[in-house]
Amino acid sequence: MSMSATPTRKEREFQAREELILSHARRLLLEKGFQAWNMEQLADAVEYSKGTLYQHFTSKEDLVLAVSTDALRMRADLFEKAAQFKGKTRERCRAIGFACCEFAYNYPEYFHIEMMLKSASFWEKASEERRQAHAFQGARTWRVLNNIVVQAMALGDLPSGRYTPEQATFALVSVTVGSHIMTQEPILRVQAGITDPMASVRTNQDLICDGLGWQPLLHDYDYASTDKNIVKELFPSASAWLHID
Amino acid sequence: MSMSATPTRKEREFQAREELILSHARRLLLEKGFQAWNMEQLADAVEYSKGTLYQHFTSKEDLVLAVSTDALRMRADLFEKAAQFKGKTRERCRAIGFACCEFAYNYPEYFHIEMMLKSASFWEKASEERRQAHAFQGARTWRVLNNIVVQAMALGDLPSGRYTPEQATFALVSVTVGSHIMTQEPILRVQAGITDPMASVRTNQDLICDGLGWQPLLHDYDYASTDKNIVKELFPSASAWLHID
DNA sequence: CCACATTTTGACCGTTGGTCAAATATTTTC
DNA sequence: GAAAATATTTGACCAACGGTCAAAATGTGG
């Protein structure tokens, strides 16, 4: 019965078990999607019973939302790290693009899950707590990118007359999400002749930035050098998904 | 036992019933999504039994895929109609943008369903016939847009050195899908201050076109006149979703 | 060692997608 | 036009699964 802020042994055990459950659920989601596994199987995997799972999560949807929010938190972390990059505003925006690819490489199932959250009656079945946690992490990623856009306009790198910062940020978010989803569509990949999905995503981001008139434009500057620095300083492990010919 | 190509009475009745089922399923999907209705309820609605439904569709997923493909066919029809617009290549591309908004307005549930198709184990449960039908309609929409891009490059409206036609088409498809999905996200709508979703989608398409250097650029030409003509000639009913201040 | 509190369990429930033998309707045959 | 043959429709039934809860197991304090 501790009144202190430090967790008791019980509380720590509870937390450790929750992470165990989440890690196994993440694996199942990655391997099988949402439908092709059930709570019984997950209970077997973590070596607890079904009833115990429901002490941590109100429903299967609540559990999946928790997995998704965990991933979203990591993405926000990567975004904040990328935003620290020293350079012009467009270079920093570019660093965010790398962060998003780094994330997508490590959590390839994430966008699928995120799409499920939008369509189904997921939100009704999830607990209020987890809904708020998800919204909070989503707001973090938005804020990081929007801050860079605001600064770019303040500095004059990005024309401020035609589009509001929010419009520009929204365009970047939309093209990024859309590109990640579309690159994961096998049929479209063949039609569009895509061999390097991450490169396609970043190309589309460049198109939006150029369309916004974000200086310096793609072909007026040596972004190859920028990219080298971003990778070296922020994402040394990016070579796993970065295909440079 | 007719050997002729014209359908017998039975075949016509079967076809009519299939359309009845599809129209009720479409309504249920629109009102309740995927989970919040079951095959029993659909059977009641069409005044047939569950068993009869399964003579038309191999599974609930197969049925939903059929609804989705129907919608996709209408979209392809609208695209082909829009591509006929007389004008510069970028104006025709713009007409496609209008077609997509017209479609999204009439089938607001479509993108949600389309996202379900990507994530879940939908395809396994659907019949081979319906899978092919869906791929065919998808290919139609791609082709229409890609043709315009190819022509634009041939005419010199669109620089052909930097991006391939497929890359340009892919960028437009990605930004469109991403924008439609994102505009349907209530939280993001507040964050981005979006009051007119369709306008946001079309703005993002313009940004990609400008980024590609598709002449004439957005602010070098009187596209307001173009838009008036597109609406008048192709989509007279667009006033329902077109908010012009 | 016992009494009490907490945690864990898995049998059980309701719902739902899907099946199939029986009932019903339709067509063919004589 | 009645009986036989064929085709269609039905809804009871099944299995799978998310979720619940009384009982068993475990832990705790005296």
Side-chain angles (χ1 to χ4, degrees):
Chain A
M1 259 182 247
S2 89
M3 286 291 173
S4 72
T6 61
T8 63
R9 177 173 60 81
K10 293 237 163 188
E11 285 165 347
R12 273 180 283 121
E13 278 174 5
F14 188 87
Q15 199 57 40
R17 191 171 61 190
E18 185 147 319
E19 270 157 41
L20 178 73
I21 296 168
L22 285 171
S23 72
H24 279 267
R26 181 159 41 237
R27 181 177 52 77
L28 286 170
L29 275 166
L30 175 57
E31 288 172 7
K32 305 176 179 238
F34 179 70
Q35 299 268 17
W37 56 276
N38 59 44
M39 296 298 273
E40 198 73 52
Q41 287 168 30
L42 177 59
D44 286 352
V46 297
E47 292 183 295
Y48 283 95
S49 74
K50 216 162 40 153
T52 301
L53 297 186
Y54 282 92
Q55 286 198 331
H56 291 262
F57 306 98
T58 64
S59 64
K60 191 180 179 183
E61 283 81 1
D62 193 48
L63 167 62
V64 169
L65 179 58
V67 172
S68 173
T69 302
D70 258 15
L72 191 53
R73 183 179 300 114
M74 310 236 183
R75 195 169 81 138
D77 291 344
L78 289 181
F79 272 38
E80 287 180 356
K81 187 173 148 192
Q84 306 288 320
F85 184 73
K86 305 288 181 220
K88 299 175 194 290
T89 53
R90 184 154 171 180
E91 291 177 300
R92 290 170 62 212
C93 179
R94 205 173 177 82
I96 302 256
F98 274 84
C100 200
C101 288
E102 175 80 5
F103 170 77
Y105 177 78
N106 288 307
Y107 295 86
E109 83 282 23
Y110 174 76
F111 284 98
H112 278 172
I113 298 173
E114 192 72 11
M115 290 305 113
M116 285 187 353
L117 300 189
K118 291 187 205 310
S119 68
S121 48
F122 249 77
W123 293 93
E124 299 165 19
K125 295 188 181 173
S127 61
E128 183 57 28
E129 235 181 343
R130 289 198 209 280
R131 274 183 262 184
Q132 286 184 2
H134 196 84
F136 177 78
Q137 297 302 331
R140 270 181 76 202
T141 64
W142 172 271
R143 200 183 320 125
V144 170
L145 183 55
N146 197 53
N147 280 347
I148 294 177
V149 170
V150 168
Q151 284 175 34
M153 286 192 181
L155 292 170
D157 294 342
L158 186 54
S160 55
R162 290 177 175 170
Y163 304 100
T164 67
E166 285 71 26
Q167 279 182 309
T169 304
F170 180 73
L172 279 165
V173 169
S174 297
V175 84
T176 301
V177 170
S179 302
H180 275 298
I181 293 169
M182 292 293 110
T183 53
Q184 281 172 34
E185 189 72 7
I187 298 170
L188 212 67
R189 248 155 82 161
V190 174
Q191 276 173 335
I194 289 170
T195 53
D196 183 346
M198 300 300 177
S200 296
V201 172
R202 299 204 307 111
T203 296
N204 291 350
Q205 290 168 340
D206 279 325
L207 284 170
I208 290 285
C209 289
D210 274 3
L212 288 164
W214 199 331
Q215 302 295 330
L217 298 183
L218 182 63
H219 297 283
D220 297 344
Y221 191 75
D222 181 15
Y223 281 110
S225 299
T226 305
D227 292 353
K228 262 187 214 154
N229 285 330
I230 292 173
V231 170
K232 201 173 75 182
E233 291 175 29
L234 300 174
F235 306 108
S237 61
S239 55
W241 52 267
L242 199 67
H243 306 295
I244 295 176
D245 305 328
Chain B
M1 258 181 246
S2 87
M3 286 291 172
S4 73
T6 62
T8 63
R9 176 174 61 80
K10 293 237 162 184
E11 285 164 348
R12 272 181 283 121
E13 280 174 5
F14 187 88
Q15 200 58 40
R17 191 172 59 191
E18 185 147 320
E19 271 157 39
L20 177 73
I21 297 169
L22 284 171
S23 72
H24 279 267
R26 181 159 40 239
R27 180 178 51 76
L28 286 170
L29 275 166
L30 175 56
E31 288 172 7
K32 305 175 179 239
F34 179 71
Q35 299 268 16
W37 56 276
N38 59 44
M39 296 298 272
E40 198 73 50
Q41 286 169 29
L42 177 59
D44 286 352
V46 298
E47 292 184 297
Y48 282 95
S49 74
K50 214 162 40 153
T52 300
L53 297 185
Y54 281 93
Q55 287 198 328
H56 291 261
F57 306 98
T58 64
S59 65
K60 191 180 181 184
E61 283 81 0
D62 193 48
L63 167 62
V64 169
L65 179 59
V67 172
S68 172
T69 302
D70 259 14
L72 191 53
R73 183 180 299 113
M74 309 235 183
R75 195 169 80 139
D77 290 345
L78 290 180
F79 272 37
E80 286 178 357
K81 186 173 148 192
Q84 307 287 320
F85 185 73
K86 306 286 183 222
K88 298 176 195 290
T89 53
R90 183 156 171 179
E91 291 178 301
R92 292 170 62 211
C93 179
R94 206 174 176 81
I96 302 257
F98 273 85
C100 200
C101 288
E102 175 79 5
F103 170 77
Y105 177 78
N106 288 306
Y107 296 85
E109 84 281 25
Y110 174 75
F111 284 98
H112 278 174
I113 299 174
E114 192 72 10
M115 290 304 113
M116 283 189 349
L117 300 190
K118 292 186 205 312
S119 70
S121 48
F122 250 77
W123 294 93
E124 300 164 19
K125 294 188 182 173
S127 62
E128 183 57 28
E129 236 181 342
R130 295 214 147 75
R131 275 183 260 183
Q132 285 184 3
H134 195 85
F136 178 78
Q137 297 301 333
R140 271 181 75 201
T141 63
W142 172 272
R143 201 183 319 125
V144 171
L145 184 54
N146 197 52
N147 280 346
I148 295 178
V149 170
V150 168
Q151 284 175 35
M153 286 192 181
L155 291 170
D157 295 341
L158 186 54
S160 55
R162 289 178 177 168
Y163 305 100
T164 67
E166 285 71 26
Q167 279 182 309
T169 305
F170 180 73
L172 279 164
V173 169
S174 296
V175 85
T176 303
V177 170
S179 301
H180 275 297
I181 293 170
M182 293 293 109
T183 53
Q184 282 173 32
E185 191 70 7
I187 299 170
L188 212 67
R189 247 153 85 156
V190 175
Q191 277 172 334
I194 289 170
T195 53
D196 183 347
M198 300 297 178
S200 296
V201 172
R202 299 204 308 111
T203 296
N204 290 349
Q205 290 168 342
D206 278 327
L207 284 170
I208 289 285
C209 289
D210 275 2
L212 289 164
W214 199 331
Q215 302 296 330
L217 297 183
L218 182 64
H219 298 281
D220 297 345
Y221 191 75
D222 181 14
Y223 281 111
S225 300
T226 305
D227 291 353
K228 262 188 213 153
N229 285 330
I230 292 172
V231 170
K232 201 173 74 183
E233 291 174 28
L234 299 173
F235 306 108
S237 62
S239 55
W241 52 267
L242 200 66
H243 307 295
I244 296 177
D245 305 326

